[in-house]
Amino acid sequence: MPYYSVLIEGRDFPAHLSHDGTSEMGFFALRFVEAAEPDEAELAAVEMIRTELRDAVGKTSSSAVTPMMHLDEMKEIDAIPDDQANAGFTWYRMDAEE
């Protein structure tokens, strides 16, 4: 089965993730997965991220904004790298985009 490098962007995640709690947060997360085809690779990466988010921050409460994740980039790769973490997030304040 092929291996994929999948970069997912998340947007509009709860402000309590930031140090001062004043802004929705966005993130990028890179995951390496093995899947039969690209669609399966994207779904596997999103599920890994959902599980990690649920474990780290719990279930999101209802708000005016709905957190979303989408595929930013995907590449087929030869193998899953041993020297790369397959967890974690790079967070950014969404109000900093303006």
Side-chain angles (χ1 to χ4, degrees):
M1 245 192 288
Y3 299 101
Y4 296 89
S5 167
V6 183
L7 182 62
I8 299 290
E9 182 179 13
R11 299 181 59 80
D12 297 318
F13 279 77
H16 72 271
L17 296 174
S18 68
H19 293 294
D20 60 8
T22 61
S23 171
E24 278 82 25
M25 301 293 291
F27 68 82
F28 287 96
L30 180 63
R31 297 295 183 269
F32 301 100
V33 297
E34 181 179 9
E37 55 188 56
D39 287 346
E40 289 178 21
E42 180 181 358
L43 290 174
V46 167
E47 187 55 36
M48 291 170 71
I49 292 167
R50 276 193 187 127
T51 300
E52 191 174 344
L53 281 170
R54 198 169 26 247
D55 291 346
V57 299
K59 194 172 184 179
T60 58
S61 61
S62 60
S63 70
V65 182
T66 302
M68 301 289 288
M69 287 187 270
H70 70 271
L71 176 66
D72 190 66
E73 182 179 295
M74 182 184 311
K75 296 178 187 175
E76 189 169 334
I77 56 177
D78 294 330
I80 294 176
D82 291 331
D83 62 345
Q84 295 290 320
N86 207 17
F89 304 91
T90 301
W91 292 97
Y92 63 91
R93 288 175 55 134
M94 293 193 55
D95 62 357
E97 292 180 327
E98 299 171 357

